């Protein structure tokens, strides 16, 4: 009788609990996810917007993916990513204003950007407040990402990485190339990045000849710079160090029209389809860049998914910078490894790691000997060529450990 009474009591308790639920006493719901606000310093207007707007859209696609997967988990709590964008207007004063807005007005201490030579203008605001910055690109001007910037990481991409990939591809696929001439924009980087490029090329058995051909960022007529490249007759190939697609296209076009058919190595993420649109299909033989190809079967799944989303929304020929989303993914991985949202704890975590997952695959964290600080995220690099009338992946280069 006792067991039967207990059974009846148990059934009655279940019925009572169910009834309470129906009349408004539900079980405790799961805690709502919190919001993690991450700043972005990008040139959404002005001349640099041709690079920055695509990068922003790709970062937003990455943030959407992270949120759909449950956000970022820290100590059992879920955080949804919210990107807070400050426009630099493609000026140095604009960078400083954007940094002030994010740090002091918005109270944000985790920032993606700025890009390249714009970064030092943000450091003066962010570093005194110990704000952690993940640069979308580094061209190695002082104050971007070096021993003087302890809170800045090369997490997007940079000249050190694309130059290494371009030099390796050039030496492997053009063994007769022993000398190159360098062409690069006058963005403040040449005195610093050309020595790095020269050393990287030398490690591949390639020498730099002639004076570097340096052009202003705003150049539209490249004929004078094509003439200077043609005058360096001892060069076996042209090596373009940095720049944008609307620089590379006219250079390739001018060289080919002048009869210069030397291999053209683009150490920049310019899509070959866009270069071809400017230069013409007949000009694209022996031209390559360090760029991503939609549909590349060898691409890491995260990058493939971001590109699929972006091209579905903006078109198949959309410029694929993909550096801001890589910064965001690296930050996510570092936060979850550190189990903290404190910038200094995340910084220490990154510095303690030898590898980290990026949207492009596993990367080494390195660079202490080369740049004076172990803040380089050396991601795998993709090579792109023009083949059979379309842009085509020429494979990936795993850079490994960079001293």
């Amino acid at each position: 009788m006792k067991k039967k009474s207990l059974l009846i009591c148990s059934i009655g308790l279940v019925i009572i609990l169910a009834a309470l639920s129906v009349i408004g006493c539900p079980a405790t719901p799961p805690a709502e996810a919190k919001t993690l606000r991450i700043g972005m310093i990008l040139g959404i207007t002005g001349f640099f917007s041709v690079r920055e707007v695509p990068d922003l859209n790709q970062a937003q696609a990455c943030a959407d993916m992270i949120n759909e997967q449950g956000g970022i988990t820290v100590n059992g709590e879920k955080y949804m990513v919210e990107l807070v964008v400050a426009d630099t207007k493609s000026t140095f004063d604009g960078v400083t204003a954007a940094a002030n807005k994010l740090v002091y007005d918005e109270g944000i201490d985790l920032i993606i950007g700025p890009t390249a030579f714009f970064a030092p203008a943000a450091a003066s605001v962010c570093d005194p407040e110990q704000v952690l910055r993940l640069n979308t690109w580094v061209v190695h001007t002082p104050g971007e990402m070096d021993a003087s910037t302890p809170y800045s990481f090369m997490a997007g991409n940079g000249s050190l990485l694309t130059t290494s990939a371009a030099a390796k591809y050039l030496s492997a696929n053009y063994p007769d190339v022993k000398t190159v001439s360098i062409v690069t924009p006058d963005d403040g980087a040449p005195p610093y990045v050309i020595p790095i490029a020269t050393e990287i090329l030398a490690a591949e058995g390639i020498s730099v000849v002639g004076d570097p051909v340096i052009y202003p960022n705003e150049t539209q007529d490249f004929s004078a710079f094509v003439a200077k490249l043609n005058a360096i007759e001892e060069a076996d190939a042209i090596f373009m160090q940095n720049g944008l697609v609307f620089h590379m296209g006219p250079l390739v076009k001018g060289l080919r029209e002048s009869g210069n058919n030397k291999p053209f190595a683009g150490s920049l993420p310019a899509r070959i389809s866009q270069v071809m649109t400017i230069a013409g299909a007949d000009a694209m033989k022996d031209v390559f860049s360090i760029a991503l190809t939609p549909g590349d079967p060898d691409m890491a799944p995260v990058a493939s998914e971001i590109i699929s989303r972006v091209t579905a929304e903006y078109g198949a020929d959309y410029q694929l910078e993909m550096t801001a989303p890589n910064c965001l993914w690296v930050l996510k991985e570092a936060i979850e490894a550190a189990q903290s949202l404190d910038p200094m704890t995340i910084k220490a975590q990154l510095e303690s790691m030898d590898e980290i997952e990026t949207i492009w695959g596993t990367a080494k964290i390195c660079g202490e000997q080369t740049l004076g600080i172990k803040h380089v995220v050396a991601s795998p690099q993709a090579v792109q060529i023009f083949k059979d009338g379309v842009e085509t992946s020429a494979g990936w280069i795993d850079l490994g450990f960079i001293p």
Side-chain angles (χ1 to χ4, degrees), residues 222-389:
F222 282 84
S223 56
F225 305 103
V226 167
K228 289 182 179 181
L229 289 169
N230 285 335
I232 308 175
E233 297 180 357
E234 63 270 35
D236 298 325
I238 313 297
F239 196 90
M240 184 174 180
Q241 178 64 61
N242 299 333
L244 299 169
V245 68
F246 56 79
H247 301 156
M248 184 171 170
L251 282 168
V252 171
K253 179 180 174 66
L255 287 165
R256 297 304 189 244
E257 288 180 347
S258 66
N260 187 331
N261 294 311
K262 296 176 182 178
F264 190 104
S267 172
L268 64 154
R271 285 187 65 172
I272 288 297
S273 59
Q274 296 178 338
V275 176
M276 185 275 295
T277 299
I278 299 170
D282 292 341
M284 300 306 295
K285 187 178 185 298
D286 295 326
V287 175
F288 70 87
S289 64
I290 308 303
L292 299 160
T293 305
D296 179 358
D298 296 323
M299 190 182 298
V302 176
S304 292
E305 175 62 21
I306 295 171
I307 289 174
S308 293
R309 293 179 181 220
V310 169
T311 53
E313 183 170 356
Y314 299 102
D317 293 330
Y318 201 59
Q319 176 66 18
L320 299 175
E321 297 294 341
M322 295 289 283
T323 57
N326 203 48
C327 288
L328 177 56
W329 196 267
V330 167
L331 182 58
K332 175 190 82 75
E333 292 288 314
I335 288 171
E336 293 191 329
Q339 284 297 287
S340 174
L341 297 177
D342 176 66
M344 294 303 95
T345 304
I346 299 167
K347 170 182 176 289
Q349 179 65 42
L350 277 167
E351 291 171 337
S352 72
M353 300 169 74
D354 294 322
E355 292 184 343
I356 194 166
E357 292 303 311
T358 75
I359 64 172
W360 299 314
T362 304
K364 300 289 186 183
I365 301 180
C366 49
E368 187 170 11
Q369 178 181 322
T370 304
L371 298 176
I373 193 167
K374 186 189 171 186
H375 283 196
V376 174
V377 179
S379 303
Q381 301 289 311
V383 182
Q384 190 177 79
I385 59 175
F386 190 73
K387 183 179 179 181
D388 298 329

Side-chain angles (χ1 to χ4, degrees), residues 115-163:
T115 298
F117 44 83
F118 285 120
S124 61
V125 176
C126 296
D127 285 8
E129 300 299 325
Q130 296 186 325
V131 173
L132 186 63
R133 289 184 295 114
L134 286 77
N135 293 332
T136 53
W137 196 277
V138 174
V139 295
H140 308 296
T141 55
E144 285 182 66
M145 200 287 303
D146 52 38
S148 71
T149 60
Y151 309 109
S152 175
F153 283 79
M154 184 201 294
N157 213 333
S159 301
L160 176 65
L161 308 184
T162 55
T163 298

Side-chain angles (χ1 to χ4, degrees), residues 178-254:
K178 301 301 180 184
T179 58
V180 297
S181 55
I182 287 184
V183 58
T184 190
D186 187 10
D187 54 9
Y192 310 101
V193 76
I194 290 176
I196 292 174
T198 301
E199 185 174 343
I200 290 170
L201 287 159
E204 300 296 330
I206 302 171
S207 301
V208 175
V209 294
D211 292 330
V213 175
I214 301 172
Y215 60 88
N217 257 320
E218 64 274 15
T219 299
Q220 294 183 353
D221 181 359
F222 282 84
S223 56
F225 305 103
V226 167
K228 289 182 179 181
L229 289 169
N230 285 335
I232 308 175
E233 297 180 357
E234 63 270 35
D236 298 325
I238 313 297
F239 196 90
M240 184 174 180
Q241 178 64 61
N242 299 333
L244 299 169
V245 68
F246 56 79
H247 301 156
M248 184 171 170
L251 282 168
V252 171
K253 179 180 174 66

